[in-house]
Amino acid sequence: MATGAQPWQLCSAGSAGAAALATSGAASAEGLGRPGQLQDETLGVASVPSQWRGVQGTRGETKSCQTASIATAEACAQTRKHADAEVQTEAPVPAGVLPASQHDSPGLAAFLRRVEAMVIRELNKNWQSHAFDGFEVNWTEQQQTVTCLHTLGYPPAQGQGLHVTSVSWNTTGSVVACAYGRLDDGDWSTLRSFVCAWNLDRRGLNPRQPSVVVEVPSAVMSLAFHPTQPSHIAGGLYSGEVLVWDMSRPEDPLLWRTGLTDDTHTDPVYQPHRGETEVGATAVSFSSFDPSLFVLGTEGGFPLKCSLAAEEAALTRRPASVPLRAPAQFTFSPHGGPVYSVSCSPFHRNLFLSAGTDGHVHLYSMLQAQPLTSLQLSHKYLFAVRWSPVRPLVFAAASGEGAQGTLKRLRPLLWASYPPISLPEGDVQLFDLQKSSQKPTVLIKQTQDESPVYCLEFNRQQTQLLAAGDARGTVKVWQLSTEFTEQGPRETEDLDQLAAEVAI
């Protein structure tokens, strides 16, 4: 409001002021520039003092704060000892400048001329030496003793009292399989059996739970993995059938079976092996040097040298749909009982081992009938013998209780020809012919109750491993000591010399 009147002045104007405003308004309405009763006037500013600020000012307070006094101190230190050190490098030698020789050149030359003949003589002597033949540097830790790595078993099979009748390693060396059956009396027609496999390289290995279990309607007497297919395995049954399974298909593992016909086995199959010629025997082993050559073990105790290339027709009691050939070429001197295992040497084409119920291991040459040597392993039955895959002069044998009733029930007619033998123990024996040809180097106790050991196999890939199965239904995997896995000097030459001997 553009007025300088005081409040009391506005109040005294009263109605006169109002009339003047009205008249001025009317004059304005009539037109601009016309004279009227009201004129502009500039007055002083009216102000109203604040009562609130005065009231708030009476409530003001003044406060102050002081911190505690800060303590200070001064200190000083002075060292009393001092030392100075300095280093100086040698002057660098230019790359193209050789240091001056410090030796006596004429004297050195005279010395070399004086010892030259002696040094050359010793070098020639060492060059002709065979002291380190076959030696290979081994950076792995030395194993001093034979230890048990795994104790494997299948409780349902053990609950039926089944034996481990055969063991086999697959081609990778990581899987071990076993066959369950019986080697004594039992209900052969209705006995249910099993084939079990464990992958030892798998994490969380459960020794009581196999990786694969195959149920079989008849007792399994033998087992063998395929030489190149890691998951394929063949089994020979007591019924005479041969079955092939694929362990990579646990839901439907059966690949092939022979069935029961006039052309198939009518007796238990004790050892399956890859081949096209039908031969019946208690054991078979093929040569590593000639795929057509093999050795048979027979119930009569006679090892036979045989060939798949034989063309002579076999004499049969009944006609067959395929022509059968007679593979036997040579008969060796017999054991005193049935031969249950034969093994051809992987290091010599003419040597093989045989083991039987007479408790002997015979070492034969293919070139002569009489054994080169015969080892009497106490009075125990020998159910298996195997050459080492890495040591030419090492082999293992599985022995067991010679329960007279066991083989008498299996071979009642054959048993009458042999005297009774009482054998109380079962174990695995490791022989090193380089150390002794008459007694085992190491004796491994397989079971606490001395149950017989029926089968064993070396691992050809992980050569420090040996698997053995026993009558308790248990498979034990043994880690061999270094002395059984590292070939000694001149060991191959010693084997050749042994093969060249003439039997007396």
Side-chain angles (χ1 to χ4, degrees), residues 347-498:
F347 294 95
H348 199 287
R349 63 182 307 112
N350 291 329
L351 294 181
F352 73 92
L353 294 167
S354 65
T357 58
D358 59 354
H360 284 79
V361 170
H362 288 178
L363 174 61
Y364 288 97
S365 169
M366 297 280 190
L367 306 178
Q368 51 185 315
Q370 296 297 323
L372 298 176
T373 184
S374 179
L375 306 179
Q376 172 69 48
L377 308 186
S378 183
H379 293 290
K380 301 177 182 180
Y381 283 16
L382 299 180
F383 293 101
V385 64
R386 293 291 184 271
W387 282 105
S388 165
V390 291
R391 288 285 312 278
L393 293 174
V394 168
F395 67 89
S399 62
E401 179 185 2
Q404 300 176 17
T406 299
L407 294 180
K408 188 173 183 179
R409 285 186 289 266
L410 286 176
R411 309 285 188 271
L413 298 179
L414 188 63
W415 179 262
S417 304
Y418 303 105
I421 304 176
S422 178
L423 305 171
E425 297 179 349
D427 47 41
V428 175
Q429 302 184 39
L430 293 173
F431 282 83
D432 187 348
L433 297 179
Q434 207 170 29
K435 294 184 176 181
S436 174
S437 60
Q438 298 300 324
K439 62 180 181 179
T441 306
V442 173
L443 185 66
I444 303 174
K445 304 303 295 182
Q446 172 84 2
T447 58
Q448 297 296 327
D449 59 357
E450 298 179 340
S451 298
V453 181
Y454 289 133
C455 51
L456 57 82
E457 286 291 343
F458 285 96
N459 190 324
R460 295 183 177 275
Q461 299 300 322
Q462 303 182 49
T463 55
Q464 76 279 10
L465 300 183
L466 171 70
D470 56 54
R472 302 290 295 177
T474 299
V475 176
K476 288 193 174 183
V477 178
W478 299 93
Q479 182 175 7
L480 304 179
S481 57
T482 305
E483 64 176 324
F484 293 108
T485 59
E486 293 184 359
Q487 190 174 141
R490 300 186 60 82
E491 189 168 351
T492 303
E493 289 81 355
D494 292 343
L495 184 71
D496 293 337
Q497 183 179 356
L498 181 63

Side-chain angles (χ1 to χ4, degrees), residues 132-146:
F132 295 97
D133 287 358
F135 175 77
E136 294 183 2
V137 178
N138 186 1
W139 302 107
T140 59
E141 183 179 355
Q142 300 291 301
Q143 179 72 21
Q144 301 298 328
T145 59
V146 178

Side-chain angles (χ1 to χ4, degrees), residues 19 69 109 128 168 177 248 269 297 310 315 324 338-339 342 359 397 421 436 438 452:
S69 59
Q128 298 174 358
S168 181
S248 65
V269 180
L315 300 177
L324 299 181
V339 175
V342 290
I421 304 176
S436 174
Q438 298 300 324

